[in-house]
Amino acid sequence: QVQLVESGGGLVQPGGSLRLSCAVSGSIFDITYMGWYRQAPGKQHELVAANTRSGIVRYADSVKGRFTISRDNDKNTLDLQMNDLKPEDTAVYYCMEMRKINSEYEPLRSWGQGTQVTVSS
């Protein structure tokens, strides 16, 4: 069983930056599709960034140009660099192993603890 542990969240002012990290228990090369979801209070889980082991990435329109998803092979982590943060980015962020069916990504596991990101002045 692959285990994923998120970290790096916190409180930041609008326009600030945070870097989230997802520690993978096994080799990250065992996972083809990975991504970061977020869930704001009262909202559904939203996929904000997806990444494949071959380097293909995709972002939600709301974060394009501001967020960057990447794999750190040395540290065996999936990272999310978040720049120019906005109040609407406030949510719990979750790392997830996914599958891709046609053009859609689907989560393969139950949601973990996630990491809280709060953007506020």
Side-chain angles (χ1 to χ4, degrees):
Q1 294 181 341
V2 175
Q3 295 185 13
L4 309 171
V5 181
E6 303 93 340
S7 64
L11 174 64
V12 65
Q13 296 184 25
S17 298
L18 284 173
R19 187 175 182 86
L20 307 183
S21 183
C22 171
V24 181
S25 62
S27 174
I28 198 168
F29 289 105
D30 292 337
I31 306 175
T32 302
Y33 299 104
M34 296 191 72
W36 285 93
Y37 288 78
R38 67 186 180 188
Q39 185 180 35
K43 303 294 184 180
Q44 298 296 312
H45 290 85
E46 174 193 18
L47 179 63
V48 298
N51 165 277
T52 73
R53 60 174 294 176
S54 63
I56 300 173
V57 298
R58 177 159 292 186
Y59 300 95
D61 289 340
S62 59
V63 306
K64 286 181 179 178
R66 300 189 297 119
F67 290 12
T68 302
I69 188 172
S70 62
R71 299 188 184 204
D72 189 322
N73 295 323
D74 292 334
K75 297 181 179 179
N76 209 42
T77 61
L78 179 73
D79 301 320
L80 184 69
Q81 179 66 45
M82 305 184 296
N83 298 325
D84 192 24
L85 284 162
K86 306 177 184 298
E88 52 264 42
D89 294 319
T90 296
V92 178
Y93 284 71
Y94 300 90
C95 179
M96 179 59 65
E97 179 183 4
M98 304 179 298
R99 65 179 178 179
K100 189 176 183 180
I101 302 178
N102 294 325
S103 62
E104 297 183 1
Y105 293 93
E106 296 183 351
L108 284 175
R109 303 178 179 275
S110 300
W111 304 110
Q113 291 183 322
T115 184
Q116 176 72 50
V117 172
T118 302
V119 185
S120 176
S121 60

